[in-house]
């Protein structure tokens, strides 16, 4: 195993870090405070390829491995976890379109999504189907050369401000085998967007419900075949779990950086905070946990890139570990700042609020434990852990 980054990976990291410091960091607090969706910044990210990191090259993407993409997302999230988290969702949707759409549809939409000219939302969760995604009720019935969509989705990132929707809908029997995936133009007649949700964090991206009332979708916009939607969604979620775990690692790195700077600047009892052993120990634990989370995420990404049979297991492990530790590190960094950490002049409370939802979405951490435990109980432990 080689834990060192390649020359190309270091180049992507440095480019992403410079971009994040120039385009995200100076504006992240305002985007959060004013709930502004930074479309211009996202499109500038697209100019560097950050909107199609692992979308297929033949349709305008960079075609990077998930490991390389995670390195980019971590650097961006260290400046603004919320905006980066939306960017990861867009990347997942762009990959699905370039990977599973009919060639003509992929050729039309892929380059525009990969470049950031058009933005996408991913529509799986419903009011009555969160963790139990296979129970979704949105339906798509075939009528000639079209499918007609009826139903509702909930908690959709970017909804109302994006151009394309990747929608999971039921075309057949109950359960996962009856679900299909569609690319839907976001301005199609019959689509209505709900109110913009007021959230604890992730304020630089809008979140709304969506209703579909007789929405006609060209049959050619089916992704994959009928009944393959749930499998497509789960493939997307493996990568999505790595992505959101990476956002937690990035947020934790940003918080740790702020804490390290603060303990050198702040003095109490005539000494800098950096001189106090209790804070030294706290920082040591934070750094150790951050490295552990980062390496777990990169291991999972490598397993996914390799097409390993246990990739889903490792993605679940990485998501559980990194999002829990990421939140804890942000919380500890806030504690080190004392009262200053609680006010918006400093970024700690924003990192904390943004990181909290990572323990819920892309499958709650309780569901991650279910995935891990089922695999462990079904196979010898040594098969998993060695």
């Amino acid at each position: 195993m080689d834990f060192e980054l390649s020359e190309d990976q270091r180049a992507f990291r440095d480019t992403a870090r410079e971009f994040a410091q120039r385009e995200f960091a100076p504006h992240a607090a305002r985007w959060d405070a004013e709930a502004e969706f930074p479309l211009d910044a996202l499109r500038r990210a697209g100019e560097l390829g950050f909107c199609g990191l692992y979308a297929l090259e033949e349709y305008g993407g960079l075609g990077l491995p998930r490991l390389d993409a995670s390195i980019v997302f971590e650097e961006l999230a260290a400046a603004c976890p919320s905006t980066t988290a939306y960017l990861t969702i867009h990347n997942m949707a762009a990959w699905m379109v370039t990977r599973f759409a009919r060639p003509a549809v992929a050729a039309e939409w892929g380059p525009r999504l990969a470049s950031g000219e058009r933005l996408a939302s991913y529509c799986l969760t419903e009011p009555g189907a969160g963790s139990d995604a296979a129970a979704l009720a949105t339906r798509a019935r075939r009528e000639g050369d079209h499918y007609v969509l009826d139903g509702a989705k909930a908690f959709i990132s970017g909804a109302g401000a994006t151009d394309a929707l990747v929608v999971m809908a039921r075309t057949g029997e109950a359960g996962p085998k009856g679900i299909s995936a569609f690319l839907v133009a976001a301005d199609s007649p019959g689509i209505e967007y709900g109110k913009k949700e007021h959230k604890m964090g992730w304020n630089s991206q809008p979140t709304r419900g969506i209703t579909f009332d007789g929405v006609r979708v060209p049959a050619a916009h089916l992704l994959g075949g009928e009944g393959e939607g749930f499998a497509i969604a789960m493939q997307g979620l493996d990568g999505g779990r790595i992505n959101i775990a990476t956002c937690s690692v990035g947020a934790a790195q940003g918080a740790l950086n702020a804490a390290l700077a603060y303990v050198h600047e702040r003095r109490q009892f005539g000494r800098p905070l950096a001189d106090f052993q209790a804070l030294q120990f706290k920082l040591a634990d934070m750094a150790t946990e951050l490295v552990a989370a980062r390496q777990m995420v990169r291991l999972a990404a490598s397993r996914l890139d390799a097409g390993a049979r246990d990739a889903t297991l490792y993605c679940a492990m990485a998501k559980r570990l990194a999002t829990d530790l990421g939140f804890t590190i942000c919380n500890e960094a806030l504690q080190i700042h004392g009262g200053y950490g609680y006010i918006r002049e400093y970024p700690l409370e924003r990192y904390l609020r943004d990181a909290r939802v990572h323990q819920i979405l892309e499958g709650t951490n309780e569901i991650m434990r279910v995935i891990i435990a089922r695999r462990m109980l079904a196979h010898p432990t040594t098969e998993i852990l060695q």
Side-chain angles (χ1 to χ4, degrees):
M1 292 181 287
D2 185 358
F3 292 96
E4 296 300 319
L5 299 184
S6 69
E7 184 176 344
D8 285 346
Q9 289 168 335
R10 289 195 298 271
F12 280 120
R13 179 199 63 192
D14 294 345
T15 299
R17 182 177 297 171
E18 190 277 332
F19 176 85
Q21 290 305 309
R22 184 181 73 248
E23 299 287 351
F24 282 8
H27 312 293
R30 177 175 58 81
W31 295 340
D32 173 70
E34 298 177 6
E36 178 182 340
F37 191 38
L39 293 172
D40 289 342
L42 289 169
R43 294 199 168 101
R44 284 192 290 274
E47 292 172 2
L48 293 177
F50 295 166
C51 287
L53 285 169
Y54 50 91
L56 273 61
E57 289 183 271
E58 61 196 278
Y59 298 118
L62 294 184
L64 294 182
R66 300 305 174 92
L67 175 58
D68 293 25
S70 75
I71 292 166
V72 171
F73 290 141
E74 181 183 332
E75 293 297 334
L76 299 178
C80 186
S82 170
T83 303
T84 305
Y86 168 74
L87 196 59
T88 72
I89 295 167
H90 170 83
N91 268 267
M92 179 171 64
W95 170 77
M96 288 181 170
V97 171
T98 60
R99 173 68 178 80
F100 296 105
R102 306 295 186 269
V105 176
E108 177 187 358
W109 281 93
R112 293 192 287 174
L113 293 172
S115 68
E117 177 189 346
R118 296 287 184 267
L119 298 175
S121 294
Y122 176 67
C123 306
L124 175 64
T125 301
E126 297 187 0
S131 294
D132 185 11
L136 66 83
T138 297
R139 299 201 66 87
R141 66 181 188 278
R142 183 72 182 259
E143 287 189 359
D145 293 334
H146 287 78
Y147 286 88
V148 180
L149 284 178
D150 291 286
K153 298 292 179 180
F155 304 126
I156 305 304
S157 292
T162 53
D163 308 286
L165 310 174
V166 174
V167 181
M168 302 297 158
R170 187 166 301 285
T171 54
E173 62 191 63
K177 293 183 179 180
I179 296 171
S180 300
F182 300 89
L183 172 63
V184 182
D187 59 355
S188 299
I191 294 179
E192 291 190 8
Y193 296 96
K195 66 178 179 64
K196 186 176 179 180
E197 301 289 356
H198 299 287
K199 308 188 296 289
M200 173 180 175
W202 272 28
N203 290 318
S204 70
Q205 50 169 296
T207 301
R208 292 182 172 89
I210 306 176
T211 58
F212 302 90
D213 184 7
V215 178
R216 296 180 65 81
V217 180
H221 282 219
L222 177 71
L223 303 181
E226 274 202 18
E228 296 179 0
F230 191 77
I232 292 171
M234 293 305 102
Q235 288 184 57
L237 283 177
D238 278 342
R241 286 164 184 163
I242 290 172
N243 289 346
I244 213 63
T246 300
C247 287
S248 284
V249 172
Q253 183 68 70
L256 180 57
N257 291 345
L260 285 169
Y262 186 76
V263 297
H264 287 292
E265 296 167 0
R266 175 74 165 166
R267 299 180 67 86
Q268 290 286 273
F269 307 104
R271 300 160 59 193
L273 293 185
D275 285 354
F276 292 90
Q277 191 177 63
L279 293 184
Q280 293 172 1
F281 282 9
K282 189 185 290 288
L283 289 166
D285 286 344
M286 292 161 66
T288 302
E289 290 166 353
L290 174 59
V291 171
R294 175 182 291 123
Q295 295 305 327
M296 183 74 235
V297 171
R298 292 183 180 179
L299 172 60
S302 297
R303 302 295 288 176
L304 189 59
D305 287 333
R309 289 187 302 170
D310 58 4
T312 294
L313 169 71
Y314 278 87
C315 291
M317 287 179 169
K319 196 270 181 181
R320 203 293 299 167
L321 184 74
T323 59
D324 282 348
L325 289 182
F327 179 77
T328 297
I329 292 166
C330 291
N331 196 38
E332 293 284 21
L334 190 154
Q335 186 73 15
I336 287 172
H337 280 71
Y340 289 108
Y342 203 67
I343 63 176
R344 292 194 172 187
E345 183 179 346
Y346 292 79
L348 283 306
E349 57 85 30
R350 174 169 55 83
Y351 284 130
L352 188 76
R353 289 185 289 105
D354 284 345
R356 180 60 183 87
V357 75
H358 299 173
Q359 295 168 296
I360 298 172
L361 47 77
E362 304 291 7
T364 66
N365 283 4
E366 289 74 19
I367 292 297
M368 297 306 98
R369 292 179 174 91
V370 169
I371 293 170
I372 297 163
R374 283 178 177 171
R375 179 61 183 261
M376 291 178 65
L377 295 170
H379 300 276
T381 303
T382 53
E383 184 179 319
I384 297 171
L385 301 180
Q386 292 186 353

